[in-house]
Amino acid sequence: VILAVLAAAVLSAQALVLGRALLGSMAPDPMVVLATALALAWPARRLLLAAVFLGWVRALVLVEPAGGQVLCAWAALFSVAAFRSSLRRGGRRGFLFAGVLLAAVWWLTALAVSWAAGVHVSAGRELLLGLLLAVPCAGLLMRISRPEGGAR
Amino acid sequence: MRARPGIVVAVLCVASLLDAPWVRTAEQALAPVLLVTDTLVADLMPVGDTVASDDAVPVVAALAWEAWLDAVAVRPAVLESGRKPCVVPVAERLVGRQELILYVPDVELLQDSPVTHRGALIGFLRPWSASDARVVVDGRARVALLGHPRARPVAATWGDESLQFLVASRDEAPTVVLRSRRVQPLPGQLAYSRDASQLGDNLPAGLAIGRVSRSESDLPGGALAVHTRDEPSLDVLLDPAELSHVTVEAPHDARLSLPQVEGRLLRSAQGDHRWQLDRGLLHGVGRGDGVVQQSRWVGRVEWAGPLTSIVSREAPPGPLIVADPSGNLIPVGASVGTWPADWRPQAGLPVFWGNASTGGLLVGRLGLVDQDRLTIDLSGFDPVRPVSVLVR
């Protein structure tokens, strides 16, 4: 599962690279969909590992220090996980709301880290645009993102 | 005691944000995983940066570089028999130790031979160490700058031969000793090497050594008094910290071949500013290495990981050569203080740079001056073709 998540992170990061080449700053970041699904599905003890994978891979394609993106992913994943049970009850809308929450926390953390460390940490509209990719299949994604091993 | 993973990750994140070199290098360890899919993605990429093949670029860049080399290597024609002036890159500047390290692979150099730049004497080649008398070790040579205890004395004059003296290193500065007359040199006078071949010294005459430095102080009435110290020191003319190339005496058949590593640049999500290079520390690539493609400058290695590196699209270090509309080649630095007097940059003029192994390279065109610094619109490159990394 861990390798599958890493592979998915790499593919979504490459999709962002390709998207940036084709669409410029309007390119969506599909990683937000993956991160939302992981935040809803994985037990809290594994979310740190997920944050490291997602932040590290995203930082590599954005050519930034990995520390900033890992901190953003960490804060975003744990924020969504904190409201997991109520978000899951919302079904399709719950998944999309979880995505918005994740994107907002990621963006705010990036602002805070950029301000505190004086290093540019990229996060912006591509996260919300990425969430648009999940709109047609949000219900399915929510069903797939059932908690592993009864994680709450 | 077992550290909690969260604390370890947090510490590593902070270290990464603080630019800790070992963490930033380790971060690149995951980059080869991306390279697997990069090749697939690269085929789908639009080729927006492809530059039209312009046959004139190599020729013009080579002419600019050679003209600059001629200016840098300018010096009196008297050389050791069988030797020629050869412009070589500076690998390291140990200014605190009054030394330069030159990169001179496969070039045979002589101990105590002069090192110059644009007709000014900078110092002399010295043995590598107290225990190793060789001048070139692992392709590197050590220069004792003027003022270094190992820099040999120089027979000198103020120019008209009326006053002759030796310049020796005292108190970490080139100092006038053994004057032929008790005449006090005026502050600001230039000292040149003089012909002492009759004494067996083959240092060419006419090399600029330095300018007389004399402390001055106000006297009542506003006059200036010249301190009559017996041994005035000389201010050297060039700041060794700014030198990127110097001239040495090399054998006539010497060819400087600097190592290069072939690689390929892969696009990042940062667009045109930063690229991933599929070569890293294990291939010999290091931080600060230049990246070129044929006769065009591409950028510099910002970070080098074990197998991949990050290349930043920025101008090369050292003097750039600007070709003005009348065909003059003007060496300029990035900041206004390095520009020739009365020179004002004009947007759109071509900018060149050079390297001992690649020759002249087109860097781009002058942009606008921003906060007294030049901005350069870098020349495009073809991401489909391989690039060469100039390994230092």
Side-chain angles (χ1 to χ4, degrees):
Chain A
V1 173
I2 288 170
L3 285 178
V5 168
L6 182 60
V10 168
L11 287 174
S12 66
Q14 290 290 20
L16 176 62
V17 176
L18 186 60
R20 282 273 168 93
L22 294 168
L23 303 171
S25 61
M26 294 305 289
D29 185 355
M31 192 175 281
V32 73
V33 180
L34 176 64
T36 306
L38 286 173
L40 291 170
W42 270 23
R45 66 177 185 281
R46 279 203 207 160
L47 285 183
L48 178 60
L49 187 65
V52 170
F53 279 169
L54 297 177
W56 192 354
V57 171
R58 192 165 193 268
L60 277 176
V61 296
L62 289 168
V63 199
E64 288 178 1
Q69 293 293 341
V70 170
L71 287 177
C72 291
W74 195 357
L77 289 174
F78 275 90
S79 300
V80 172
F83 300 102
R84 179 160 33 201
S85 51
S86 47
L87 287 168
R88 289 194 59 77
R89 280 198 292 275
R92 180 175 182 273
R93 283 186 185 172
F95 188 90
L96 294 176
F97 188 75
V100 172
L101 176 64
L102 183 129
V105 174
W106 199 306
W107 177 68
L108 286 173
T109 312
L111 280 182
V113 173
S114 297
W115 176 79
V119 176
H120 180 68
V121 180
S122 301
R125 76 180 79 158
E126 77 277 3
L127 294 169
L128 286 174
L129 291 171
L131 195 59
L132 293 178
L133 300 174
V135 170
C137 52
L140 177 66
L141 285 167
M142 183 57 108
R143 280 197 294 279
I144 292 170
S145 311
R146 63 180 180 279
E148 257 189 28
R152 302 185 69 80
Chain B
M1 203 171 85
R2 232 181 111 196
R4 294 187 61 179
I7 295 172
V8 174
V9 170
V11 169
L12 289 174
C13 286
V14 172
S16 164
L17 288 167
L18 293 176
D19 248 7
W22 57 276
V23 178
R24 295 299 311 278
T25 303
E27 282 171 13
Q28 290 294 311
L30 193 62
V33 178
L34 286 167
L35 294 185
V36 176
T37 49
D38 262 325
T39 47
L40 300 173
V41 173
D43 293 337
L44 302 172
M45 287 285 184
V47 195
D49 283 297
T50 301
V51 288
S53 172
D54 185 351
D55 293 339
V57 167
V59 178
V60 177
L63 286 174
W65 171 245
E66 280 162 20
W68 186 76
L69 282 185
D70 288 344
V72 171
V74 66
R75 53 171 300 171
V78 183
L79 286 166
E80 288 264 338
S81 60
R83 301 187 86 78
K84 65 172 183 180
C86 180
V87 177
V88 296
V90 176
E92 227 174 314
R93 299 163 188 85
L94 309 172
V95 177
R97 291 168 54 180
Q98 294 188 298
E99 289 184 348
L100 293 178
I101 307 289
L102 309 182
Y103 196 61
V104 284
D106 307 323
V107 178
E108 181 213 339
L109 299 174
L110 300 176
Q111 184 182 330
D112 280 338
S113 62
V115 179
T116 62
H117 183 79
R118 290 182 170 266
L121 180 67
I122 297 164
F124 297 93
L125 292 169
R126 56 160 291 185
W128 186 254
S129 66
S131 57
D132 191 344
R134 289 178 297 167
V135 176
V136 180
V137 174
D138 294 335
R140 281 157 201 264
R142 203 175 272 261
V143 180
L145 297 170
L146 292 176
H148 188 285
R150 292 296 302 254
R152 70 175 178 82
V154 179
T157 175
W158 301 130
D160 60 359
E161 299 280 337
S162 63
L163 176 64
Q164 297 177 349
F165 50 90
L166 273 181
V167 174
S169 298
R170 300 268 171 90
D171 301 329
E172 300 184 348
T175 305
V176 173
V177 296
L178 296 176
R179 270 175 283 155
S180 60
R181 289 193 285 139
R182 297 295 299 168
V183 178
Q184 289 298 339
L186 290 172
Q189 260 186 316
L190 274 172
Y192 297 91
S193 62
R194 70 179 175 86
D195 181 10
S197 54
Q198 290 179 331
L199 301 174
D201 185 349
N202 51 18
L203 184 72
L207 293 173
I209 301 172
R211 202 177 281 281
V212 178
S213 162
R214 304 290 296 272
S215 58
E216 298 168 356
S217 60
D218 280 316
L219 279 179
L224 288 172
V226 176
H227 285 286
T228 51
R229 220 180 72 181
D230 281 334
E231 296 177 344
S233 61
L234 298 175
D235 288 334
V236 292
L237 300 174
L238 299 167
D239 181 0
E242 299 287 331
L243 292 173
S244 61
H245 290 78
V246 295
T247 306
V248 295
E249 291 179 358
H252 262 299
D253 55 353
R255 279 188 63 82
L256 202 62
S257 57
L258 305 179
Q260 297 185 17
V261 173
E262 292 278 301
R264 194 175 155 211
L265 285 179
L266 303 160
R267 193 186 291 265
S268 76
Q270 285 282 13
D272 201 27
H273 308 300
R274 285 174 170 160
W275 293 69
Q276 292 274 1
L277 173 70
D278 65 350
R279 293 287 181 270
L281 293 168
L282 294 177
H283 305 100
V285 175
R287 194 177 179 182
D289 289 348
V291 180
V292 303
Q293 187 179 63
Q294 292 177 321
S295 296
R296 295 171 194 269
W297 170 264
V298 174
R300 292 179 79 183
V301 175
E302 187 179 320
W303 277 103
L307 292 167
T308 60
S309 308
I310 296 169
V311 173
S312 174
R313 292 273 279 152
E314 57 182 78
L320 302 163
I321 307 162
V322 178
D324 73 7
S326 54
N328 295 324
L329 296 168
I330 303 152
V332 297
S335 61
V336 68
T338 62
W339 302 345
D342 302 329
W343 183 76
R344 292 288 171 272
Q346 294 175 40
L349 292 180
V351 181
F352 301 97
W353 185 78
N355 179 278
S357 59
T358 59
L361 300 166
L362 175 67
V363 176
R365 292 190 176 272
L366 280 186
L368 299 173
V369 177
D370 181 25
Q371 294 180 337
D372 287 343
R373 290 187 70 80
L374 284 180
T375 58
I376 296 167
D377 301 326
L378 293 179
S379 159
F381 71 99
D382 188 345
V384 177
R385 292 187 200 160
V387 294
S388 300
V389 185
L390 309 174
V391 178
R392 292 190 299 174

